[in-house]
Amino acid sequence: MSPPPTDFTAFTDIAKRVNNWGRWGPDDEIGTLNLITDEVVREAASHVRSGRRIPLALPLQQDGVQTGMIPGRVNPLHAMVQVNQEIFGPGTVACSDDVVTMGLQAATHWDALTHVSHSGRVYNGRPANTITPHAGATFAGIDKARHIVSRGVLLDIPRALGGRGTDERLPGDHAVTPEDLEAAEELAGIRVRAGDIVLVRTGQIQLCLAGDRHAYAFPSPGLSLRTPEWFHARDVAAVANDTLTFEIFPPEIEDLWLPVHALDLVEMGMPQGQNWNLEELSTACGQTGCYAFLLSAMPEPFVGGTGTPVAPVAIL
Amino acid sequence: MSPPPTDFTAFTDIAKRVNNWGRWGPDDEIGTLNLITDEVVREAASHVRSGRRIPLALPLQQDGVQTGMIPGRVNPLHAMVQVNQEIFGPGTVACSDDVVTMGLQAATHWDALTHVSHSGRVYNGRPANTITPHAGATFAGIDKARHIVSRGVLLDIPRALGGRGTDERLPGDHAVTPEDLEAAEELAGIRVRAGDIVLVRTGQIQLCLAGDRHAYAFPSPGLSLRTPEWFHARDVAAVANDTLTFEIFPPEIEDLWLPVHALDLVEMGMPQGQNWNLEELSTACGQTGCYAFLLSAMPEPFVGGTGTPVAPVAIL
Amino acid sequence: MSPPPTDFTAFTDIAKRVNNWGRWGPDDEIGTLNLITDEVVREAASHVRSGRRIPLALPLQQDGVQTGMIPGRVNPLHAMVQVNQEIFGPGTVACSDDVVTMGLQAATHWDALTHVSHSGRVYNGRPANTITPHAGATFAGIDKARHIVSRGVLLDIPRALGGRGTDERLPGDHAVTPEDLEAAEELAGIRVRAGDIVLVRTGQIQLCLAGDRHAYAFPSPGLSLRTPEWFHARDVAAVANDTLTFEIFPPEIEDLWLPVHALDLVEMGMPQGQNWNLEELSTACGQTGCYAFLLSAMPEPFVGGTGTPVAPVAIL
Amino acid sequence: MSPPPTDFTAFTDIAKRVNNWGRWGPDDEIGTLNLITDEVVREAASHVRSGRRIPLALPLQQDGVQTGMIPGRVNPLHAMVQVNQEIFGPGTVACSDDVVTMGLQAATHWDALTHVSHSGRVYNGRPANTITPHAGATFAGIDKARHIVSRGVLLDIPRALGGRGTDERLPGDHAVTPEDLEAAEELAGIRVRAGDIVLVRTGQIQLCLAGDRHAYAFPSPGLSLRTPEWFHARDVAAVANDTLTFEIFPPEIEDLWLPVHALDLVEMGMPQGQNWNLEELSTACGQTGCYAFLLSAMPEPFVGGTGTPVAPVAIL
């Protein structure tokens, strides 16, 4: 049965409330990343206490998270073009070189603001056809988002919800709500603020790490349609989590597909990260009780890219 | 005319002096990255003064730095596999997705320790045939080097040498010597120490930025055969610069090809970075007089990779 | 100075005269390939006299004909993913496997009817937007053209024109006219008829074979704007030649780009072949005096492809 | 339990009997393709009776036959790099261009003689290390096999075996024996002779066409270890069939993997074809009673390739 019309009204209403078009000028291409000021970064650096570095990227390999469900989003194919090749003659130093073919959104990645469009528009009200097969995203491509370093905050939902999660992993039908986010804030003893990059842990990636990428993909817990407004209220710079779909999938409202993508990327202009491995970070934060850190998550600057692999690191 | 035999002796002698095989155990796969301790990182964070972030990667695009001179090392080919595709039906949120094919060493990159071998050996004395066409580098691949964050120090050679450089760019036949490095230290008012990542600016990349990738490639200033010993004495964790070849090319000694690669990667186990754009950083350091900063330069964890694209950021 | 308006009128007039939309029904996706009937093929087989087979494809390699002038049309990048890999254990049979990345139109290829569009239309009047980034050509893709075997006829223009060519190669500004085609027919003692595949030799590929792909690319002799009508009158099934651009380039009429592509592919629905090496065939036909043969030039059936590599063979 | 030593003796004995090393000189790189003389081709052309052309290649698409079981052998990834791009300015002819990444052995293909090695040797006794990651097969690569046109003969095993097959498809554990081949010859009323290309139908590809590529892959009927001797006795030029593995899989003798590959490719120097769709051809031959035809199956000339996609056509 289809949802009642009010549902779509709900989406439209939220869209209006979180819309940031024009907020940083008509030509802005980086949206909420504008909220990461030098001052935010300077303060973020003060969160480095132990100097421990925790990488958050999954290994890049052919046996990656993609199942073939999303056409064209291929796992990394790594091939050697030279192996110990003595390019300057016998007995000289030998070189090894490699090539890769991969979907930019195949593994641990950032969505560019232009990864989705709706109603013919991308972020800042630009026409969706600014994305072309030839040049990719000529407006708000990932190459414009070249400064993603800020304070990172881990909101560890299964831990915050205590007994409600299963083995510190949310069930597949759990939509992470603003209330969940606030419970995790309370656990962390921290308040999310302007310019923060929020990492929302669901524990779902455990399925992937255990070798079952199909279970990982679907059904998946993820962010609720109600979260963009919360992120907007807090002026968050970016959000990443440990799922394939970012938002709960299948969606909360029947036939309303990827509403969180549309709200975050198109309306707010806030980058999303997916397939981030937050397990080691969760353990570390649990041990120290500190859930804030310096986060460096620089996009690879693919010109026209609508996404990019990223190798984020939390510096605690 | 071939060089006299003493030249090769010189290489062998240096190789013995800088050799780190076994220093961190027989199974170590990350070499001098071991020198980046938590304490080093903690201290590095204290260098963040303004919070300014300067990205050091070149744009990733088909019109990149590769000229075709190195077989198989192809510039990034970016293609869209979906453009505003309404994958859930007409009127739904529309997705854009991209794929890329590229040489891992094509643009701004890290060499893995296994990027070169000599005399049948890679770092730590392992046989070169631990690199296979099938699996790539099964020992000391780039996927093992997942924590590259440390104090960065810019050694700005053309600036340090004053009038000797041309338009703040070293001439194509300039081998950067230990004396040059120390002149730059003096300019910076800083002493390179254990665990530092040293960025050696030659200015060569200006040629590439001006559109002449052939002039950029060759001839190229770069590190002298005499520098590995200096880096070894200071216990540097990694070195990157703004050239295609890293070391001076053509080489200082005829028929002795890529000696610096062999010394840095194989003997010392010290990662090298190439094609880093240090121009904006040079300007910023010149203005503030501060040449040390927090550097995050996380490798993309390609399993078995002998190199990787990297999007480094200096946080000042 | 721009051309006078009458020039474009000329194009429009020719377009009307050669248009085949609807000729084989509104749903037809193969155009003039319909002219290759079983009878044509049966008769073509009777041209096999010696049994000699002459391959017409250029080698597929990274050092191929593309110069980088056409964005995205990359030369074949061949990489091994397994080299003598004993996949079933030590001492078992060892396998070697390879992957390739290439532009479908990079080397010896067929253009699909959908390789170009004009005024928003492709062949048979279908909208150009039947080509999508996601699925490629959903109408009249190369996968529909799966039966390209017919009588081949070599029209050897430099030989037919005798002393007018240079070293049996047309000069770069020579537009091949209907009169040239008829001179070559006369030389061959043959009349082109319905269902034939015509191979028009210019000799231009000698430049490529001699190693100068830039000279090969431009300027280039090629088919004149006046030839589509001639091909239409003869009901030719397909035409291929030994140039990068197929038609003369730069074009005969200033600012009228690729008119032959538009007439052949869009209006007539006749496939075009490019970068075919006709040198050995020319020698053989010259020796025997026979310019007709059985030609097999099966497209690789890339679903949605707007072109395809082809390895044609003339069987004499 | 391991097989008794006699089994391997059996392999070694057959290897000696079918060995063709040196038969066409020490430098020969095409093996049994030498058996296709001009006379053979001339005679083959006489088998064209109706002029009907039957293509034998599977569509090339991401949803292809590969299941991921063979690392690196990826299904074709087709992407558009231009879609109706007006490269010469607004209103000009618009171009569409595509790129592909694929395993050369991923779909309907020929194995080059160098696709497998055993005991450190490839065809003609050359060392297996003539295949390099850098250059691929420098000896006997697929680029050397550029004349594959000959008489094709369909040996339709399930039809010849009558009630023994299931729905005209061999069961998964059926090893096609010399006796089966002769039963099919008898059905066809034809005797396989020197220079023929033999197409052995099992019907297995029906599983793939029905959408179950896992069932198609394994278990699979295929050629018995005993067939190479039969092909050798008849001096067959090449053999192709409609399975993923070519030979029966799992193998007839435990732990003796890919013996037919080793015998055909390495010892005899006879190319093998896999994933050929023989269903339409089977129907046509059954209707006409003619099982011989002209077969054109030209390899794409990938320099150094150990295999290649092929778009074969039977001309009846």
Side-chain angles (χ1 to χ4, degrees):
Chain A
M1 216 184 70
S2 321
T6 48
D7 294 319
F8 292 101
T9 307
F11 172 82
T12 311
D13 286 351
I14 300 174
K16 275 180 205 151
R17 288 196 295 267
V18 302
N19 186 281
N20 278 329
W21 298 2
R23 179 171 171 188
W24 296 283
D27 296 328
D28 176 63
E29 305 189 45
I30 61 169
T32 53
L33 294 177
N34 284 291
L35 297 163
I36 311 179
T37 60
D38 285 359
E39 188 177 4
V40 163
V41 178
R42 193 164 65 238
E43 199 278 339
S46 72
H47 288 270
V48 179
R49 277 156 202 175
S50 69
R52 179 172 175 188
R53 297 146 290 158
I54 299 180
L56 308 178
L58 294 171
L60 292 168
Q61 53 191 341
Q62 206 187 338
D63 189 22
V65 303
Q66 297 302 318
T67 60
M69 191 174 67
I70 307 171
R73 196 179 285 188
V74 291
N75 283 316
L77 171 68
H78 174 253
M80 302 303 299
V81 285
Q82 299 198 72
V83 175
N84 296 308
Q85 186 77 18
E86 296 172 334
I87 52 177
F88 297 104
T92 62
V93 165
C95 296
S96 296
D97 248 56
D98 11 29
V99 290
V100 73
T101 297
M102 66 181 291
L104 292 185
Q105 294 91 344
T108 303
H109 71 276
W110 281 121
D111 286 344
L113 300 186
T114 40
H115 172 52
V116 306
S117 62
H118 82 90
S119 311
R121 296 284 151 181
V122 291
Y123 169 67
N124 225 355
R126 292 294 172 99
N129 67 10
T130 51
I131 310 169
T132 72
H134 179 59
T138 57
F139 178 82
I142 200 63
D143 49 314
K144 308 295 171 54
R146 297 188 66 187
H147 298 81
I148 311 189
V149 176
S150 192
R151 186 172 83 151
V153 174
L154 176 68
L155 296 184
D156 196 331
I157 311 300
R159 182 171 296 155
L161 299 188
R164 270 182 285 168
T166 302
D167 199 15
E168 293 238 347
R169 175 165 67 78
L170 299 178
D173 62 353
H174 187 107
V176 174
T177 62
E179 293 75 28
D180 293 344
L181 297 174
E182 290 178 3
E185 271 188 311
E186 194 174 347
L187 169 78
I190 212 168
R191 188 178 161 84
V192 169
R193 64 189 178 211
D196 278 348
I197 299 174
V198 175
L199 310 185
V200 181
R201 181 173 169 268
T202 69
Q204 176 77 356
I205 212 162
Q206 292 168 12
L207 296 171
C208 175
L209 298 173
D212 190 345
R213 52 187 157 184
H214 288 277
Y216 171 60
F218 176 88
S220 177
L223 293 163
S224 162
L225 173 60
R226 294 171 49 217
T227 57
E229 232 173 325
W230 192 87
F231 294 128
H232 187 251
R234 298 298 182 91
D235 261 346
V236 162
V239 177
N241 75 3
D242 55 353
T243 71
L244 186 76
T245 47
F246 190 74
E247 54 192 282
I248 183 167
F249 198 86
E252 294 160 283
I253 298 175
E254 207 181 327
D255 289 335
L256 182 59
W257 302 99
L258 299 184
V260 177
H261 276 68
L263 293 168
D264 285 353
L265 299 170
V266 181
E267 301 291 338
M268 290 178 61
M270 182 185 77
Q272 298 181 161
Q274 281 136 285
N275 302 312
W276 292 38
N277 182 352
L278 304 176
E279 295 302 297
E280 182 184 351
L281 181 63
S282 167
T283 302
C285 292
Q287 285 166 348
T288 62
C290 290
Y291 287 80
F293 37 83
L294 179 63
L295 179 75
S296 176
M298 293 288 287
E300 295 289 335
F302 288 101
V303 175
T306 62
T308 183
V310 63
V313 60
I315 312 168
L316 279 66
Chain B
M1 215 184 71
S2 320
T6 47
D7 293 320
F8 291 100
T9 307
F11 172 81
T12 312
D13 287 351
I14 300 173
K16 276 181 202 147
R17 289 197 294 268
V18 303
N19 185 282
N20 279 330
W21 297 2
R23 179 172 172 187
W24 296 283
D27 296 329
D28 176 62
E29 305 188 47
I30 61 169
T32 53
L33 294 178
N34 284 291
L35 296 163
I36 311 178
T37 60
D38 284 359
E39 190 177 2
V40 163
V41 178
R42 193 164 65 238
E43 199 277 338
S46 71
H47 287 271
V48 178
R49 277 159 201 171
S50 69
R52 179 172 174 188
R53 297 146 289 158
I54 300 179
L56 309 178
L58 294 171
L60 293 167
Q61 54 191 342
Q62 207 188 336
D63 190 20
V65 302
Q66 297 302 318
T67 59
M69 189 176 68
I70 306 170
R73 195 179 286 187
V74 290
N75 283 317
L77 171 68
H78 173 253
M80 302 304 299
V81 286
Q82 299 197 74
V83 174
N84 296 309
Q85 186 76 17
E86 296 172 335
I87 53 178
F88 298 104
T92 61
V93 166
C95 296
S96 296
D97 249 54
D98 10 31
V99 291
V100 74
T101 296
M102 67 180 291
L104 293 185
Q105 293 91 345
T108 303
H109 70 277
W110 282 120
D111 286 343
L113 300 186
T114 40
H115 173 52
V116 305
S117 60
H118 81 89
S119 310
R121 298 283 149 181
V122 291
Y123 168 66
N124 226 354
R126 292 294 173 99
N129 67 9
T130 50
I131 310 169
T132 73
H134 179 60
T138 58
F139 178 82
I142 200 65
D143 49 314
K144 308 296 170 52
R146 298 188 65 187
H147 297 81
I148 309 188
V149 176
S150 192
R151 185 173 83 152
V153 174
L154 177 68
L155 296 184
D156 197 330
I157 310 301
R159 183 172 298 157
L161 299 188
R164 272 182 285 168
T166 302
D167 199 13
E168 293 240 346
R169 175 165 66 80
L170 299 178
D173 61 354
H174 187 108
V176 174
T177 62
E179 293 74 29
D180 293 344
L181 298 175
E182 291 179 3
E185 269 189 312
E186 195 173 348
L187 169 78
I190 212 168
R191 188 178 161 85
V192 169
R193 64 189 178 210
D196 278 348
I197 298 173
V198 175
L199 309 185
V200 181
R201 180 171 170 270
T202 69
Q204 177 76 357
I205 212 162
Q206 292 168 11
L207 296 171
C208 174
L209 299 173
D212 190 343
R213 50 186 159 184
H214 288 277
Y216 171 61
F218 175 89
S220 177
L223 293 163
S224 162
L225 173 60
R226 294 171 51 217
T227 55
E229 233 174 324
W230 194 87
F231 294 128
H232 187 252
R234 299 296 182 92
D235 263 347
V236 163
V239 177
N241 76 4
D242 55 353
T243 71
L244 186 76
T245 49
F246 189 73
E247 53 193 283
I248 182 166
F249 199 86
E252 294 158 282
I253 298 176
E254 206 182 330
D255 290 335
L256 181 59
W257 301 99
L258 300 185
V260 177
H261 277 67
L263 293 168
D264 285 354
L265 299 170
V266 181
E267 301 292 337
M268 290 179 60
M270 183 183 77
Q272 297 180 162
Q274 280 136 284
N275 301 314
W276 292 37
N277 183 352
L278 304 175
E279 295 303 296
E280 183 184 351
L281 181 63
S282 167
T283 303
C285 292
Q287 286 165 346
T288 62
C290 290
Y291 287 80
F293 36 84
L294 179 63
L295 179 75
S296 176
M298 294 287 288
E300 294 290 334
F302 287 101
V303 176
T306 63
T308 184
V310 62
V313 61
I315 312 168
L316 278 66
Chain C
M1 212 184 75
S2 320
T6 47
D7 293 319
F8 292 100
T9 307
F11 172 82
T12 311
D13 286 352
I14 300 173
K16 275 180 203 150
R17 289 196 295 268
V18 302
N19 185 282
N20 278 330
W21 298 1
R23 179 173 172 186
W24 296 282
D27 297 327
D28 176 63
E29 305 189 45
I30 63 169
T32 54
L33 295 178
N34 284 292
L35 296 163
I36 311 179
T37 61
D38 284 359
E39 190 177 3
V40 164
V41 178
R42 193 164 65 238
E43 200 277 339
S46 73
H47 288 270
V48 178
R49 278 159 200 170
S50 68
R52 177 171 175 189
R53 296 146 289 160
I54 299 179
L56 308 178
L58 294 171
L60 293 168
Q61 54 191 341
Q62 206 187 337
D63 190 22
V65 302
Q66 297 302 318
T67 59
M69 191 175 66
I70 307 169
R73 196 179 284 189
V74 290
N75 283 317
L77 170 68
H78 174 252
M80 302 303 298
V81 285
Q82 300 198 73
V83 174
N84 297 307
Q85 185 78 16
E86 297 173 334
I87 53 178
F88 297 105
T92 61
V93 165
C95 295
S96 296
D97 249 55
D98 11 29
V99 290
V100 74
T101 297
M102 66 181 291
L104 293 184
Q105 293 92 343
T108 303
H109 71 275
W110 281 120
D111 286 344
L113 300 186
T114 39
H115 173 53
V116 306
S117 62
H118 81 88
S119 311
R121 297 284 150 182
V122 292
Y123 168 66
N124 226 354
R126 292 296 171 101
N129 67 10
T130 50
I131 310 169
T132 72
H134 179 58
T138 57
F139 178 81
I142 200 64
D143 50 314
K144 308 296 169 52
R146 297 190 63 187
H147 297 81
I148 310 188
V149 176
S150 192
R151 185 172 84 151
V153 174
L154 177 69
L155 297 184
D156 197 331
I157 310 301
R159 183 171 298 155
L161 299 188
R164 271 182 286 168
T166 302
D167 198 13
E168 294 239 347
R169 175 165 66 79
L170 299 178
D173 62 352
H174 187 109
V176 175
T177 62
E179 293 73 28
D180 293 344
L181 298 174
E182 290 179 3
E185 271 187 311
E186 194 173 349
L187 169 77
I190 212 167
R191 188 178 160 84
V192 168
R193 64 190 178 210
D196 279 348
I197 298 173
V198 175
L199 310 186
V200 181
R201 180 172 170 270
T202 69
Q204 176 77 358
I205 212 163
Q206 292 168 11
L207 295 171
C208 175
L209 298 173
D212 190 345
R213 52 186 156 183
H214 287 277
Y216 171 60
F218 176 88
S220 177
L223 294 162
S224 160
L225 173 60
R226 294 171 50 218
T227 57
E229 233 173 325
W230 192 87
F231 294 127
H232 187 252
R234 298 297 182 91
D235 262 347
V236 162
V239 177
N241 76 3
D242 54 355
T243 70
L244 185 79
T245 48
F246 190 73
E247 55 192 283
I248 183 167
F249 199 88
E252 294 158 281
I253 298 177
E254 206 182 329
D255 289 334
L256 183 57
W257 302 99
L258 300 185
V260 178
H261 277 68
L263 293 168
D264 285 353
L265 299 170
V266 181
E267 300 292 336
M268 291 178 60
M270 183 184 76
Q272 297 180 162
Q274 281 137 282
N275 302 314
W276 292 38
N277 182 353
L278 304 175
E279 295 303 297
E280 183 184 352
L281 181 63
S282 167
T283 303
C285 292
Q287 285 167 348
T288 63
C290 291
Y291 287 81
F293 36 84
L294 180 62
L295 179 75
S296 176
M298 293 287 288
E300 295 290 335
F302 287 100
V303 175
T306 63
T308 183
V310 62
V313 60
I315 312 169
L316 278 66
Chain D
M1 213 184 74
S2 320
T6 47
D7 294 319
F8 291 101
T9 306
F11 172 81
T12 311
D13 286 353
I14 300 173
K16 276 181 202 149
R17 289 197 294 269
V18 303
N19 186 282
N20 278 331
W21 297 2
R23 180 173 172 186
W24 296 283
D27 296 329
D28 176 62
E29 305 188 46
I30 62 169
T32 53
L33 294 178
N34 284 291
L35 296 163
I36 311 179
T37 61
D38 284 0
E39 191 178 1
V40 164
V41 178
R42 194 164 65 239
E43 200 278 339
S46 73
H47 287 270
V48 178
R49 276 158 202 172
S50 68
R52 178 172 175 189
R53 298 146 287 158
I54 300 180
L56 308 178
L58 294 172
L60 293 168
Q61 54 191 342
Q62 207 188 335
D63 190 20
V65 303
Q66 298 302 319
T67 59
M69 191 176 65
I70 306 170
R73 195 178 285 187
V74 291
N75 283 318
L77 170 68
H78 175 252
M80 303 304 298
V81 285
Q82 300 198 72
V83 174
N84 296 310
Q85 186 77 19
E86 296 172 336
I87 53 177
F88 298 104
T92 61
V93 165
C95 295
S96 296
D97 248 56
D98 10 30
V99 290
V100 74
T101 296
M102 66 180 291
L104 293 184
Q105 294 92 344
T108 304
H109 71 276
W110 280 121
D111 286 343
L113 300 186
T114 40
H115 172 53
V116 305
S117 60
H118 81 89
S119 311
R121 297 282 150 183
V122 292
Y123 168 66
N124 226 354
R126 291 296 172 100
N129 67 11
T130 50
I131 311 169
T132 72
H134 179 60
T138 57
F139 177 82
I142 199 65
D143 49 314
K144 308 295 169 54
R146 297 189 64 187
H147 298 80
I148 310 188
V149 176
S150 192
R151 185 173 83 149
V153 174
L154 176 68
L155 296 184
D156 196 331
I157 310 302
R159 183 173 297 155
L161 299 188
R164 273 183 284 169
T166 301
D167 198 12
E168 293 239 346
R169 175 165 67 80
L170 299 178
D173 62 354
H174 187 107
V176 174
T177 62
E179 293 75 26
D180 292 345
L181 298 174
E182 290 178 4
E185 271 188 311
E186 195 173 346
L187 169 77
I190 212 168
R191 188 177 160 86
V192 169
R193 64 190 180 210
D196 278 349
I197 297 173
V198 175
L199 310 185
V200 181
R201 180 173 170 269
T202 69
Q204 177 77 357
I205 213 163
Q206 291 168 11
L207 295 171
C208 174
L209 298 173
D212 190 345
R213 52 186 157 182
H214 287 277
Y216 171 61
F218 175 89
S220 176
L223 293 163
S224 162
L225 174 59
R226 294 170 50 217
T227 56
E229 233 173 326
W230 192 87
F231 294 128
H232 187 251
R234 298 297 182 90
D235 262 346
V236 162
V239 177
N241 76 3
D242 55 353
T243 71
L244 185 77
T245 50
F246 190 72
E247 53 192 285
I248 182 166
F249 199 86
E252 294 159 282
I253 298 176
E254 205 182 330
D255 289 335
L256 183 57
W257 301 98
L258 301 184
V260 177
H261 277 68
L263 293 168
D264 285 354
L265 298 170
V266 181
E267 300 291 336
M268 292 179 60
M270 184 185 76
Q272 298 180 160
Q274 281 137 282
N275 300 316
W276 292 38
N277 183 353
L278 304 175
E279 295 303 297
E280 183 183 352
L281 181 63
S282 167
T283 303
C285 292
Q287 284 165 348
T288 62
C290 290
Y291 287 81
F293 37 83
L294 179 63
L295 179 75
S296 177
M298 294 288 287
E300 294 290 336
F302 288 101
V303 175
T306 63
T308 184
V310 62
V313 61
I315 313 167
L316 279 66

